[in-house]
Every structure is written in C-alpha cells, then in structure tokens.
Amino acid sequence: MDYRFFTEIISLKPELFRAMLNFNREFAAPVPEKLASLGTPFTTLWNHETFRRAWFSADPKESGYWNFSEESQRLALLDTVTLERLCLLFSAAVHAEELARVIAREQVLDLRREIGADVFSYALKRGRYQIGALRDILTVPTSFGTLGRRIGILASSLPALTASEWPEALKELTMRRTPCFNGVSSSTEAFCPALQREQRRALWFTMKKLLLREVAPEWAPYFD
C-alpha cells in the first residue's frame, strides 16, 4: 500500500476515496472459501453487511484491494452500467468502418437493435475518428460471426485486455463482473490479441478519453 497516495486522496480527492470504499464494499467481498465450503444456507449470510463486517473483524486477511495509485486501475471502480456502456461504445468505434458499409435496411435495423441506435449513431459520427491505430489490432475477425456478435465479443473482452498487467488480486475481483453483450459473457479465450506496451497504453488512454467525453464526464474527479 502506498500510504502517501492514501493520505493524499483522503484529503484532496474525497470522491476517489468514496469510490474505493464502494468498490471494496460491493466487489471485494466475495464469499470466503471457508464459508462457501459450508454451502447454503450459510453462504446467504454473506448478503448481510453486518455479517461481512463481523467476518472481516475476525479475519483481517480479507481486506480487499486499496492501492489505486496507478490511474488505469481505477477503471475497476466503475459501476457495472458505466463499464458496460464504455466497452460497448469502444467496440462499436473499433468496428465503425465496417458499420459504415452496412447499407441494407434490414441489416441496419438489426444492428441498431443489437447495439442500440445511439451507439450505432455514435460510431458513425464520432467513434470512427477516436480509435486511431488500435482499430487494426482490435477488430474482431469475420470468422467470429456477425458484425453485431463481433462487437459484443470485443466489448466483453475489453475489461480483461485493459487489466492484463494489473495485480492478480485486483484482476480476480474485477473479472467477477465481466460485462455481457449479445449473449457473450466472456470472450477472453476466444479473442485476446497480444498487445505491445505502447498499444496497452494507447488502449488505456483511449478508454479514459471515451469515458470522460462520451460516457460519464462526472467521473473526471476520480482520475488525474
């Protein structure tokens, strides 16, 4: 733990500190192995906050994850709805050039239903210009299925791609809430391109840009 970072955010970034508290309250509290081994109805006790507090008091090893000094790791603090929206817009932007070539009315209507009319419009108007060189490596090959499905595949893969170099403890917590798009809940094994260091940095900065410009500007205080 970087205690200087911890002290700084408590005094200067209270929004970030609250987000870390919420993260550990909601996502960093999986059913402990000892309790899970007992099965139901014992595991249902974990749904009660008072029981979780008592458990943590008795077992200090269950302490969650707190060291968010590395800015990119703060994507883990996003609520599920915001994370899903961010990943879907990013994926649609990556596939925007192909979306632009769809002209058959029925295909356009199907895609608008699959990814959302607003996402479709965003990809064609602004998204296609916001991805840059990442498009070449992140475009899902046509062999993976229809365009709508491929957009869902990349969207569901983005959390794992972004977190590829995060500490294992944080990755384990965040992967429990991988978004699901078009029936695709986890595509990391099927589509997981190897990114170079510069590409990983570009991915992070692009995700941050889309988050703060297109998805949730109110999250700006949580980032540097």
Side-chain angles (χ1 to χ4, degrees):
M1 168 65 73
D2 186 339
Y3 289 99
R4 287 175 299 178
F5 163 75
F6 207 64
T7 302
E8 177 183 337
I9 65 165
I10 290 175
S11 59
L12 301 178
K13 293 180 175 289
E15 298 96 339
L16 176 57
F17 182 60
R18 282 196 293 271
M20 290 166 55
L21 288 173
N22 291 334
F23 172 84
N24 280 281
R25 183 181 299 117
E26 184 174 357
F27 300 115
V31 179
E33 185 177 348
K34 295 176 184 176
L35 186 62
S37 65
L38 300 176
T40 55
F42 297 99
T43 53
T44 59
L45 292 171
W46 201 246
N47 296 327
H48 301 281
E49 185 176 354
T50 52
F51 183 86
R52 293 200 302 271
R53 284 201 301 265
W55 184 283
F56 287 143
S57 297
D59 189 354
K61 292 181 295 182
E62 300 285 349
S63 56
Y65 186 89
W66 295 92
N67 192 9
F68 288 95
S69 55
E70 166 55 49
E71 190 187 20
S72 69
Q73 295 176 17
R74 298 175 200 172
L75 285 177
L77 301 175
L78 298 180
D79 60 273
T80 302
V81 173
T82 302
L83 178 64
E84 290 180 350
R85 177 75 175 174
L86 174 60
C87 291
L88 185 57
L89 257 66
F90 189 104
S91 183
V94 167
H95 294 88
E97 296 302 326
E98 190 173 351
L99 282 170
R101 293 195 295 271
V102 179
I103 57 175
R105 183 175 182 275
E106 287 302 318
Q107 288 180 299
V108 170
L109 291 176
D110 286 344
L111 282 166
R112 286 166 66 91
R113 281 193 293 267
E114 282 187 82
I115 67 175
D118 57 335
V119 175
F120 189 97
S121 176
Y122 155 76
L124 298 185
K125 292 180 180 179
R126 299 187 305 281
R128 63 196 302 182
Y129 307 111
Q130 295 177 326
I131 298 300
L134 287 172
R135 176 173 287 112
D136 293 337
I137 192 169
L138 293 180
T139 297
V140 180
T142 57
S143 58
F144 282 76
T146 65
L147 178 54
R149 178 169 177 78
R150 285 183 279 125
I151 290 174
I153 286 174
L154 176 60
S156 64
S157 300
L158 281 170
L161 289 172
T162 307
S164 61
E165 293 198 325
W166 289 2
E168 289 301 320
L170 181 59
K171 283 198 288 187
E172 182 181 350
L173 293 172
T174 55
M175 288 305 103
R176 293 195 181 102
R177 58 188 180 107
T178 300
C180 176
F181 303 95
N182 298 339
V184 181
S185 59
S186 178
S187 304
T188 54
E189 292 185 8
F191 183 72
C192 188
L195 302 181
Q196 302 297 321
R197 182 178 181 182
E198 296 77 11
Q199 293 167 329
R200 288 194 298 271
R201 286 179 56 82
L203 173 61
W204 149 238
F205 283 118
T206 305
M207 292 279 278
K208 178 182 175 181
K209 178 177 67 176
L210 293 189
L211 171 67
L212 301 184
R213 289 185 183 178
E214 305 287 349
V215 180
E218 65 272 17
W219 276 86
Y222 302 84
F223 295 89
D224 296 337

